[in-house]
Amino acid sequence: MYTRRFSLIAVAALLLAGCQSTAPVAPAAAPVAAPQPPRKIKIGLALGGGAARGFAHIGVIKALESQGIQADVVVGTSAGAVVGALYAAGNSGFALQKIAFDMDEAAISDWAVPLFGKSSGVLKGEALQSYVNKAVNNQPMERLKIPFGAVATDLKNGMPILFQRGNTGMAVRASSSVPGVFQPVAIGGHNYVDGGLVAPVPVRFARDMGADFIIAVNISTQTDAQAAISSMEVILQTFSIMGQRINQFELKDADVVIQPSLGLMKGNDFNGRNQAILAGEQAAFAVMPQIKQKLKLRREQ
């Protein structure tokens, strides 16, 4: 009897041991990947030319800043170079608006004395250069707070040039020197005129400066929107005609294009600056959902 009881106890012990050895073991938790931070996207702002219509750029900048969108690169042509330089120097949209309201057209107008057979422009452009340099505290381009470029045209060979270093006011002056209105600007043995001849909205140059996401602002007028009366209006209208064809190709490379509704505003209408700023704000807010959505997708890629 004792032997039988001992055998039963031994068998039970073995069964219990077997149960313990074959008990399921909880699997180790699978490693969880740490969430990746959003990819840093370098935003480029390409500001087009259009003389006094360029006040609309200020409204665009105000709208972008109100949504926390800051440019990492700024490139401008003509009027876009003027606003772009002041923005790159660290002026907010509201500061730019104050500068615009305080601007006296006479402060950037220095009439040239016409010489028989030698007149190449009614304005020298030195006043514009001084105005810009004073507004940026005489900082050279490479020392501005935001990387900045100004596009001009080499008068001899018609090639574009992107100024990124040196005298800020002089680069802006070269970019803004509409032939027949401003005298060409001599830099390094070359004469330069308005960048609108080659890049009315400098999208590709923003890309060249390293921008991943480009917001382009097109302020050019439709050629059938207004009649040109004065000689200056004829020149500005001619630029608009040339620029529209170039823009058909240039703007395709932008991620978002903002086109303020400036109606019949003429390029020499400095009195319309308030309406232009408002038009820039309205146009930017109209495409703001598109900008945010595209930026979000780009950061997640």
Side-chain angles (χ1 to χ4, degrees), residues 4-286:
R4 185 178 176 186
R5 182 179 297 177
F6 179 79
S7 299
L8 288 173
I9 293 173
V11 170
L14 289 172
L15 288 173
L16 288 172
C19 289
Q20 290 175 354
S21 63
T22 58
V25 178
V32 178
Q36 294 296 318
R39 187 164 70 94
K40 171 63 177 174
I41 299 297
K42 185 177 285 189
I43 299 174
L45 194 57
L47 305 177
R53 295 164 68 92
F55 288 110
H57 291 315
I58 296 174
V60 170
I61 291 170
K62 284 180 62 183
L64 292 174
E65 286 185 335
S66 73
Q67 302 301 304
I69 299 173
Q70 299 281 345
D72 300 297
V73 170
V74 184
V75 188
T77 292
S78 197
V82 177
V83 176
L86 272 56
Y87 176 50
N91 291 292
S92 68
F94 282 101
L96 291 173
Q97 179 172 274
K98 185 179 186 306
I99 291 172
F101 288 160
D102 292 342
M103 177 186 286
D104 181 3
E105 186 180 352
I108 59 172
S109 303
D110 48 356
W111 299 95
V113 178
L115 299 176
F116 182 74
K118 294 185 179 181
S119 179
S120 57
V122 296
L123 297 174
K124 290 184 289 186
E126 294 172 358
L128 174 62
Q129 176 177 325
S130 297
Y131 177 86
V132 171
N133 277 334
K134 182 179 180 181
V136 302
N137 296 316
N138 292 307
Q139 294 289 313
M141 300 179 77
E142 65 271 20
R143 293 186 62 183
L144 298 178
K145 294 184 178 180
I146 303 174
F148 169 67
V151 180
T153 305
D154 190 317
L155 187 58
K156 182 177 181 180
N157 56 28
M159 296 298 293
I161 182 169
L162 177 66
F163 290 109
Q164 298 182 74
R165 299 182 62 83
N167 189 306
T168 303
M170 183 173 287
V172 170
R173 173 187 171 193
S175 179
S176 307
S177 292
V178 179
V181 178
F182 285 92
Q183 295 177 352
V185 181
I187 303 175
H190 293 255
N191 287 321
Y192 294 101
V193 293
D194 198 293
L197 288 168
V198 289
V201 185
V203 174
R204 58 188 159 128
F205 292 100
R207 192 79 67 190
D208 290 344
M209 288 183 65
D212 304 305
F213 187 93
I214 299 175
I215 301 171
V217 187
N218 180 19
I219 57 169
S220 63
T221 180
Q222 296 296 316
T223 55
D224 57 353
Q226 54 184 285
I229 300 174
S230 68
S231 58
M232 183 175 293
E233 289 172 358
V234 170
I235 293 172
L236 294 175
Q237 184 83 324
T238 302
F239 262 63
S240 179
I241 293 170
M242 293 186 299
Q244 282 188 21
R245 283 201 171 274
I246 300 174
N247 280 342
Q248 289 177 5
F249 299 97
E250 189 95 2
L251 294 175
K252 289 180 180 179
D253 197 33
D255 293 277
V256 177
V257 177
I258 300 174
Q259 184 147 354
S261 180
L262 296 169
L264 299 178
M265 181 180 180
K266 297 182 183 297
N268 57 354
D269 183 9
F270 280 77
N271 292 325
R273 66 191 78 184
N274 189 43
Q275 291 81 357
I277 293 172
L278 181 59
E281 286 188 72
Q282 292 172 336
F285 278 120

